[in-house]
PDB file of all heavy atoms in Angstrom:
ATOM      1  N   HIS B  81     -12.531 -15.952   5.368  1.00 97.00           N
ATOM      2  CA  HIS B  81     -12.111 -17.312   5.052  1.00 97.00           C
ATOM      3  C   HIS B  81     -11.267 -17.942   6.158  1.00 97.00           C
ATOM      4  O   HIS B  81     -10.709 -19.017   5.967  1.00 97.00           O
ATOM      5  CB  HIS B  81     -11.372 -17.324   3.713  1.00 97.00           C
ATOM      6  CG  HIS B  81     -12.249 -16.891   2.572  1.00 97.00           C
ATOM      7  ND1 HIS B  81     -13.255 -17.690   2.063  1.00 97.00           N
ATOM      8  CD2 HIS B  81     -12.324 -15.718   1.888  1.00 97.00           C
ATOM      9  CE1 HIS B  81     -13.885 -17.031   1.091  1.00 97.00           C
ATOM     10  NE2 HIS B  81     -13.343 -15.836   0.974  1.00 97.00           N
ATOM     11  N   GLY B  82     -11.162 -17.237   7.267  1.00 97.00           N
ATOM     12  CA  GLY B  82     -10.454 -17.813   8.407  1.00 97.00           C
ATOM     13  C   GLY B  82      -8.962 -18.013   8.183  1.00 97.00           C
ATOM     14  O   GLY B  82      -8.384 -19.026   8.600  1.00 97.00           O
ATOM     15  N   TYR B  83      -8.338 -17.030   7.566  1.00 98.00           N
ATOM     16  CA  TYR B  83      -6.889 -17.120   7.320  1.00 98.00           C
ATOM     17  C   TYR B  83      -6.136 -17.167   8.654  1.00 98.00           C
ATOM     18  O   TYR B  83      -6.288 -16.268   9.492  1.00 98.00           O
ATOM     19  CB  TYR B  83      -6.454 -15.903   6.503  1.00 98.00           C
ATOM     20  CG  TYR B  83      -4.981 -15.857   6.153  1.00 98.00           C
ATOM     21  CD1 TYR B  83      -4.371 -16.918   5.476  1.00 98.00           C
ATOM     22  CD2 TYR B  83      -4.210 -14.745   6.473  1.00 98.00           C
ATOM     23  CE1 TYR B  83      -3.034 -16.859   5.136  1.00 98.00           C
ATOM     24  CE2 TYR B  83      -2.873 -14.669   6.131  1.00 98.00           C
ATOM     25  CZ  TYR B  83      -2.282 -15.735   5.457  1.00 98.00           C
ATOM     26  OH  TYR B  83      -0.963 -15.674   5.128  1.00 98.00           O
ATOM     27  N   PRO B  84      -5.330 -18.195   8.861  1.00 97.00           N
ATOM     28  CA  PRO B  84      -4.699 -18.361  10.181  1.00 97.00           C
ATOM     29  C   PRO B  84      -3.692 -17.263  10.558  1.00 97.00           C
ATOM     30  O   PRO B  84      -3.463 -17.038  11.742  1.00 97.00           O
ATOM     31  CB  PRO B  84      -4.004 -19.729  10.095  1.00 97.00           C
ATOM     32  CG  PRO B  84      -4.022 -20.127   8.662  1.00 97.00           C
ATOM     33  CD  PRO B  84      -5.094 -19.352   7.978  1.00 97.00           C
ATOM     34  N   GLU B  85      -3.108 -16.574   9.570  1.00 98.00           N
ATOM     35  CA  GLU B  85      -2.117 -15.539   9.904  1.00 98.00           C
ATOM     36  C   GLU B  85      -2.705 -14.129   9.826  1.00 98.00           C
ATOM     37  O   GLU B  85      -1.977 -13.150   9.636  1.00 98.00           O
ATOM     38  CB  GLU B  85      -0.902 -15.670   8.992  1.00 98.00           C
ATOM     39  CG  GLU B  85      -0.105 -16.938   9.283  1.00 98.00           C
ATOM     40  CD  GLU B  85       1.124 -17.064   8.392  1.00 98.00           C
ATOM     41  OE1 GLU B  85       1.985 -16.175   8.455  1.00 98.00           O
ATOM     42  OE2 GLU B  85       1.196 -18.033   7.624  1.00 98.00           O
ATOM     43  N   PHE B  86      -4.025 -14.069   9.997  1.00 98.00           N
ATOM     44  CA  PHE B  86      -4.715 -12.773   9.899  1.00 98.00           C
ATOM     45  C   PHE B  86      -4.147 -11.719  10.864  1.00 98.00           C
ATOM     46  O   PHE B  86      -3.864 -10.588  10.468  1.00 98.00           O
ATOM     47  CB  PHE B  86      -6.214 -12.955  10.164  1.00 98.00           C
ATOM     48  CG  PHE B  86      -6.958 -11.653  10.305  1.00 98.00           C
ATOM     49  CD1 PHE B  86      -7.252 -10.881   9.194  1.00 98.00           C
ATOM     50  CD2 PHE B  86      -7.349 -11.184  11.554  1.00 98.00           C
ATOM     51  CE1 PHE B  86      -7.919  -9.672   9.317  1.00 98.00           C
ATOM     52  CE2 PHE B  86      -8.015  -9.982  11.683  1.00 98.00           C
ATOM     53  CZ  PHE B  86      -8.304  -9.227  10.559  1.00 98.00           C
ATOM     54  N   ALA B  87      -3.983 -12.096  12.108  1.00 98.00           N
ATOM     55  CA  ALA B  87      -3.580 -11.107  13.126  1.00 98.00           C
ATOM     56  C   ALA B  87      -2.226 -10.473  12.805  1.00 98.00           C
ATOM     57  O   ALA B  87      -2.060  -9.250  12.892  1.00 98.00           O
ATOM     58  CB  ALA B  87      -3.559 -11.750  14.509  1.00 98.00           C
ATOM     59  N   ALA B  88      -1.274 -11.297  12.409  1.00 98.00           N
ATOM     60  CA  ALA B  88       0.065 -10.769  12.093  1.00 98.00           C
ATOM     61  C   ALA B  88       0.006  -9.873  10.860  1.00 98.00           C
ATOM     62  O   ALA B  88       0.672  -8.833  10.785  1.00 98.00           O
ATOM     63  CB  ALA B  88       1.044 -11.925  11.874  1.00 98.00           C
ATOM     64  N   HIS B  89      -0.812 -10.290   9.900  1.00 98.00           N
ATOM     65  CA  HIS B  89      -0.934  -9.494   8.677  1.00 98.00           C
ATOM     66  C   HIS B  89      -1.561  -8.134   8.987  1.00 98.00           C
ATOM     67  O   HIS B  89      -1.067  -7.092   8.567  1.00 98.00           O
ATOM     68  CB  HIS B  89      -1.777 -10.268   7.652  1.00 98.00           C
ATOM     69  CG  HIS B  89      -1.651  -9.740   6.259  1.00 98.00           C
ATOM     70  ND1 HIS B  89      -1.410 -10.534   5.166  1.00 98.00           N
ATOM     71  CD2 HIS B  89      -1.730  -8.467   5.784  1.00 98.00           C
ATOM     72  CE1 HIS B  89      -1.345  -9.765   4.075  1.00 98.00           C
ATOM     73  NE2 HIS B  89      -1.541  -8.519   4.426  1.00 98.00           N
ATOM     74  N   LYS B  90      -2.646  -8.182   9.749  1.00 98.00           N
ATOM     75  CA  LYS B  90      -3.320  -6.930  10.102  1.00 98.00           C
ATOM     76  C   LYS B  90      -2.390  -6.009  10.894  1.00 98.00           C
ATOM     77  O   LYS B  90      -2.410  -4.792  10.727  1.00 98.00           O
ATOM     78  CB  LYS B  90      -4.593  -7.204  10.902  1.00 98.00           C
ATOM     79  CG  LYS B  90      -5.381  -5.924  11.167  1.00 98.00           C
ATOM     80  CD  LYS B  90      -6.711  -6.192  11.821  1.00 98.00           C
ATOM     81  CE  LYS B  90      -7.580  -4.939  11.893  1.00 98.00           C
ATOM     82  NZ  LYS B  90      -6.947  -3.807  12.541  1.00 98.00           N
ATOM     83  N   ALA B  91      -1.556  -6.574  11.736  1.00 98.00           N
ATOM     84  CA  ALA B  91      -0.618  -5.764  12.524  1.00 98.00           C
ATOM     85  C   ALA B  91       0.333  -4.993  11.603  1.00 98.00           C
ATOM     86  O   ALA B  91       0.652  -3.827  11.863  1.00 98.00           O
ATOM     87  CB  ALA B  91       0.155  -6.655  13.499  1.00 98.00           C
ATOM     88  N   GLU B  92       0.771  -5.631  10.521  1.00 98.00           N
ATOM     89  CA  GLU B  92       1.641  -4.918   9.557  1.00 98.00           C
ATOM     90  C   GLU B  92       0.876  -3.770   8.916  1.00 98.00           C
ATOM     91  O   GLU B  92       1.410  -2.665   8.756  1.00 98.00           O
ATOM     92  CB  GLU B  92       2.134  -5.869   8.457  1.00 98.00           C
ATOM     93  CG  GLU B  92       3.340  -6.677   8.865  1.00 98.00           C
ATOM     94  CD  GLU B  92       3.985  -7.403   7.677  1.00 98.00           C
ATOM     95  OE1 GLU B  92       4.040  -6.843   6.570  1.00 98.00           O
ATOM     96  OE2 GLU B  92       4.439  -8.538   7.891  1.00 98.00           O
ATOM     97  N   HIS B  93      -0.365  -4.028   8.532  1.00 98.00           N
ATOM     98  CA  HIS B  93      -1.201  -2.959   7.955  1.00 98.00           C
ATOM     99  C   HIS B  93      -1.356  -1.804   8.950  1.00 98.00           C
ATOM    100  O   HIS B  93      -1.234  -0.642   8.589  1.00 98.00           O
ATOM    101  CB  HIS B  93      -2.595  -3.489   7.618  1.00 98.00           C
ATOM    102  CG  HIS B  93      -2.653  -4.378   6.412  1.00 98.00           C
ATOM    103  ND1 HIS B  93      -3.805  -5.021   6.032  1.00 98.00           N
ATOM    104  CD2 HIS B  93      -1.712  -4.720   5.501  1.00 98.00           C
ATOM    105  CE1 HIS B  93      -3.578  -5.717   4.931  1.00 98.00           C
ATOM    106  NE2 HIS B  93      -2.310  -5.568   4.589  1.00 98.00           N
ATOM    107  N   ASP B  94      -1.656  -2.153  10.189  1.00 98.00           N
ATOM    108  CA  ASP B  94      -1.907  -1.119  11.196  1.00 98.00           C
ATOM    109  C   ASP B  94      -0.670  -0.263  11.446  1.00 98.00           C
ATOM    110  O   ASP B  94      -0.765   0.958  11.625  1.00 98.00           O
ATOM    111  CB  ASP B  94      -2.371  -1.757  12.514  1.00 98.00           C
ATOM    112  CG  ASP B  94      -3.789  -2.307  12.412  1.00 98.00           C
ATOM    113  OD1 ASP B  94      -4.471  -2.016  11.403  1.00 98.00           O
ATOM    114  OD2 ASP B  94      -4.211  -3.031  13.335  1.00 98.00           O
ATOM    115  N   THR B  95       0.494  -0.897  11.481  1.00 98.00           N
ATOM    116  CA  THR B  95       1.739  -0.159  11.713  1.00 98.00           C
ATOM    117  C   THR B  95       1.979   0.856  10.595  1.00 98.00           C
ATOM    118  O   THR B  95       2.271   2.024  10.843  1.00 98.00           O
ATOM    119  CB  THR B  95       2.942  -1.125  11.816  1.00 98.00           C
ATOM    120  OG1 THR B  95       2.683  -2.027  12.887  1.00 98.00           O
ATOM    121  CG2 THR B  95       4.237  -0.385  12.084  1.00 98.00           C
ATOM    122  N   LEU B  96       1.809   0.400   9.363  1.00 98.00           N
ATOM    123  CA  LEU B  96       2.041   1.303   8.226  1.00 98.00           C
ATOM    124  C   LEU B  96       1.014   2.434   8.219  1.00 98.00           C
ATOM    125  O   LEU B  96       1.369   3.602   8.017  1.00 98.00           O
ATOM    126  CB  LEU B  96       1.978   0.503   6.917  1.00 98.00           C
ATOM    127  CG  LEU B  96       2.434   1.145   5.601  1.00 98.00           C
ATOM    128  CD1 LEU B  96       1.296   1.838   4.867  1.00 98.00           C
ATOM    129  CD2 LEU B  96       3.621   2.088   5.723  1.00 98.00           C
ATOM    130  N   THR B  97      -0.247   2.094   8.472  1.00 97.00           N
ATOM    131  CA  THR B  97      -1.302   3.111   8.491  1.00 97.00           C
ATOM    132  C   THR B  97      -0.987   4.175   9.539  1.00 97.00           C
ATOM    133  O   THR B  97      -1.083   5.379   9.290  1.00 97.00           O
ATOM    134  CB  THR B  97      -2.673   2.464   8.801  1.00 97.00           C
ATOM    135  OG1 THR B  97      -2.925   1.455   7.821  1.00 97.00           O
ATOM    136  CG2 THR B  97      -3.791   3.486   8.761  1.00 97.00           C
ATOM    137  N   HIS B  98      -0.580   3.720  10.699  1.00 97.00           N
ATOM    138  CA  HIS B  98      -0.242   4.630  11.786  1.00 97.00           C
ATOM    139  C   HIS B  98       0.922   5.550  11.394  1.00 97.00           C
ATOM    140  O   HIS B  98       0.871   6.767  11.598  1.00 97.00           O
ATOM    141  CB  HIS B  98       0.109   3.807  13.031  1.00 97.00           C
ATOM    142  CG  HIS B  98       0.345   4.640  14.247  1.00 97.00           C
ATOM    143  ND1 HIS B  98      -0.691   5.099  15.029  1.00 97.00           N
ATOM    144  CD2 HIS B  98       1.487   5.127  14.789  1.00 97.00           C
ATOM    145  CE1 HIS B  98      -0.187   5.831  16.009  1.00 97.00           C
ATOM    146  NE2 HIS B  98       1.128   5.863  15.886  1.00 97.00           N
TER     147      HIS B  98
END
Side-chain angles (χ1 to χ4, degrees):
H81 297 287
Y83 181 56
E85 291 181 61
F86 171 75
H89 196 131
K90 185 174 189 305
E92 277 192 38
H93 286 175
D94 288 349
T95 301
L96 191 269
T97 303
H98 186 83

